[in-house]
Amino acid sequence: MASVAFFTFAIFHLFFALHIKDYFSIIKNYDEKPVDSIFYQNEYIVPEYENIVFPDKKKNLVIILLESMESSFADAENGGLMQKNLIPNLTKIAKENINFSDSETLGGAPDLFGTGWTVAAMTAKFSGLPYNMIVQKNANHVSFLPNAVTLTDILAKNGYNQRFIFGSDKHFAGRDALLETHGNVEVHDIEWYKNHNMLPKNYGVFWGFEDEKLFEYAKWELSELSEQEKPFMLGLLTVDTHMPSGYICEKCPADEDMPLKNAIRCSDAQTAEFLAWCKAQHWYADTVFAIMGDHLFMDTAQTSPFSPDTDKNARRWIDIFINAAPVIFTQNIKNREFSDFDMFPTMLSALGCKIRNNRLGFGVDLFSSEPTLLERFSKEEINKQLSVRSKQYLELEFSKDKLKFEQ
């Protein structure tokens, strides 16, 4: 009986921790007749280029998505949920810059429906939309929400050179399609670096190559982009803190009680080291850095760094903004309830953009006092509304000749 109970608990935990519940909801609703969503009508703001005004001197943007990085990995004194602070460097950097928080100390945001895994989080942070599509076998998308307007569309429209780098295969889960469909972002992944003789042809660890190399390649990419006349966006996604136990490279400490904690500490140190290198570069002052956990860590009972009685609803992924343009508007950064969607307009605002009514997609510019979805609705209500298969979402997902409903 004990083994059956344990197996049942494990399945239940995986169901929620790995967001299988979200997948099932998407699949269940996919072939149902879509509805005309009042929630979309009232809450989704279609991004219009003319409603986003860039400053005369455009700042560069570096987006660092840290795999599964939570502010919860800090200690209680600094707003986290751990006995020992596993992210002392990120904690210090957040205190010295801007960290939007749900409290007075270090904090961040929870996962909502359609945001809790990497490509979903990227979709939400870059477009203010949930991921509510079916991907067959994690294969390539021919296109990715082709009728939506995303962050990279807006940057491309305003003359930015754009690159995004992965330490793994860019095709996984359609991440390349998200970036290449919108703004024609140049994507460099493990195959690109192999093809350009920066990695041996047979190289491979963990998901592709380790973060130590990713940060070194990012330095090379930034040095090249900074020599061009146009403003640039460089994005990168780390992977060494991925479930279940992370990846331990030669730089990682070995004094914690589980491999994952060592991987978290290692990611914290390497991110700080990379930012210190950036700070010494001539382009640093003209560059905004948006550093975010992509989503909450997908822990299981065996790999969780948290105690068994930790309330998952108290966990938050981290966000840090460095060199944000509207630095005088800092009265709105603490005690905020927000989500991935709000990162979309907030990143543009950090660049100095003026956004009409401070809203894009389902997101709100957090530098403004405009209330977010989570400040106006319960998490349960938002998740319910986002999981609906709506006509509005289909209009963003398919060309008109492929829509599954009558106009």
Side-chain angles (χ1 to χ4, degrees):
M1 291 296 293
S3 61
V4 173
F6 177 81
F7 179 77
T8 303
F9 172 79
I11 294 297
F12 179 82
H13 194 86
L14 281 169
F15 186 75
F16 289 96
L18 304 187
H19 295 270
I20 295 172
K21 179 174 180 286
D22 284 0
Y23 292 128
F24 283 172
S25 178
I26 291 170
I27 293 169
K28 177 178 179 290
N29 295 335
Y30 203 80
D31 288 322
E32 294 184 0
K33 185 176 181 179
V35 301
D36 192 4
S37 169
I38 301 299
F39 191 77
Y40 269 82
Q41 288 181 20
N42 293 339
E43 305 301 335
Y44 178 73
I45 303 301
V46 177
E48 303 281 357
Y49 292 116
E50 59 269 25
N51 292 336
I52 305 162
V53 180
F54 278 71
D56 292 335
K57 183 178 180 181
K58 295 171 182 172
K59 283 179 168 279
N60 309 309
L61 176 63
V62 173
I63 302 172
I64 305 174
L65 295 180
L66 299 174
E67 173 65 46
S68 306
M69 185 61 71
E70 300 189 26
S71 60
S72 319
F73 294 150
D75 56 356
E77 181 182 351
N78 287 291
L81 299 173
M82 308 297 292
Q83 289 187 342
K84 177 182 178 182
N85 193 346
L86 299 177
I87 52 169
N89 294 289
L90 289 172
T91 300
K92 182 175 184 292
I93 293 166
K95 288 179 177 180
E96 293 172 348
N97 294 280
I98 292 174
N99 160 242
F100 293 100
S101 175
D102 56 309
S103 69
E104 285 289 346
T105 57
L106 183 69
D111 292 338
L112 295 178
F113 173 87
T115 72
W117 61 102
T118 296
V119 72
M122 290 178 65
T123 302
K125 287 178 169 72
F126 290 4
S127 72
L129 284 161
Y131 187 99
N132 201 357
M133 301 174 285
I134 293 177
V135 182
Q136 297 294 332
K137 298 180 181 179
N138 285 320
N140 306 349
H141 290 266
V142 174
S143 61
F144 197 114
L145 294 174
N147 300 321
V149 174
T150 73
L151 172 71
T152 51
D153 286 319
I154 295 164
L155 295 177
K157 185 80 170 179
N158 284 273
Y160 278 69
N161 284 333
Q162 299 188 85
R163 291 183 192 172
F164 205 102
I165 65 175
F166 295 102
S168 53
D169 182 350
K170 69 177 184 177
H171 300 298
F172 182 78
R175 298 173 303 178
D176 59 327
L178 168 62
L179 297 164
E180 292 167 356
T181 299
H182 297 282
N184 196 28
V185 179
E186 186 179 344
V187 182
H188 295 175
D189 66 348
I190 183 170
E191 291 304 316
W192 191 94
Y193 291 111
K194 285 181 178 180
N195 292 336
H196 286 76
N197 299 317
M198 298 173 73
L199 276 175
K201 292 294 185 182
N202 62 348
Y203 193 84
V205 298
F206 203 38
W207 284 70
F209 61 81
E210 62 272 43
D211 292 346
E212 180 182 3
K213 288 183 173 60
L214 183 77
F215 283 120
E216 289 303 312
Y217 294 155
K219 294 175 185 179
W220 177 81
E221 301 279 7
L222 285 165
S223 296
E224 184 173 270
L225 285 167
S226 66
E227 295 303 318
Q228 301 176 22
E229 293 183 0
K230 293 182 177 182
F232 63 80
M233 183 284 287
L234 179 75
L236 57 134
L237 171 69
T238 67
V239 73
D240 285 1
T241 47
H242 200 285
M243 69 162 298
S245 301
Y247 177 77
I248 305 300
C249 72
E250 293 181 356
K251 281 193 169 185
C252 290
D255 54 352
E256 296 296 337
D257 58 1
M258 62 189 307
L260 176 64
K261 290 182 179 180
N262 288 316
I264 292 169
R265 286 188 57 201
C266 194
S267 181
D268 171 73
Q270 289 191 62
T271 304
E273 181 182 296
F274 174 69
L275 290 171
W277 176 87
C278 291
K279 194 170 185 178
Q281 307 309 306
H282 66 89
W283 43 263
Y284 177 81
D286 296 321
T287 303
V288 171
F289 293 80
I291 305 155
M292 298 170 279
D294 59 346
H295 51 73
L296 299 180
F297 182 74
M298 297 179 185
D299 56 339
T300 65
Q302 291 73 35
T303 64
S304 177
F306 301 100
S307 64
D309 59 348
T310 298
D311 179 8
K312 185 172 182 179
N313 289 323
R315 290 167 54 184
R316 298 291 185 267
W317 47 260
I318 196 168
D319 71 278
I320 302 171
F321 286 81
I322 300 173
N323 292 340
V327 291
I328 58 172
F329 303 112
T330 57
Q331 67 269 30
N332 301 312
I333 68 174
K334 297 299 182 183
N335 298 307
R336 301 296 305 269
E337 295 292 336
F338 61 98
S339 69
D340 297 76
F341 306 134
D342 302 304
M343 295 295 100
F344 175 27
T346 301
M347 281 191 277
L348 287 168
S349 180
L351 291 172
C353 297
K354 303 300 181 185
I355 302 168
R356 183 178 180 184
N357 296 327
N358 303 308
R359 295 175 64 189
L360 293 173
F362 282 118
V364 163
D365 171 15
L366 294 176
F367 287 105
S368 75
S369 58
E370 186 77 22
T372 68
L373 283 184
L374 276 171
E375 289 170 337
R376 294 187 293 117
F377 301 95
S378 71
K379 183 177 179 180
E380 292 72 24
E381 178 63 17
I382 294 169
N383 287 341
K384 176 183 175 182
Q385 295 295 338
L386 294 179
S387 66
V388 168
R389 196 69 174 148
S390 71
K391 291 182 178 181
Q392 288 85 351
Y393 198 93
L394 282 177
E395 288 173 346
L396 299 171
E397 185 177 353
F398 295 107
S399 58
K400 288 186 177 181
D401 61 332
K402 294 183 179 179
L403 288 177
K404 297 183 179 180
F405 60 91
E406 295 182 0
Q407 296 291 333

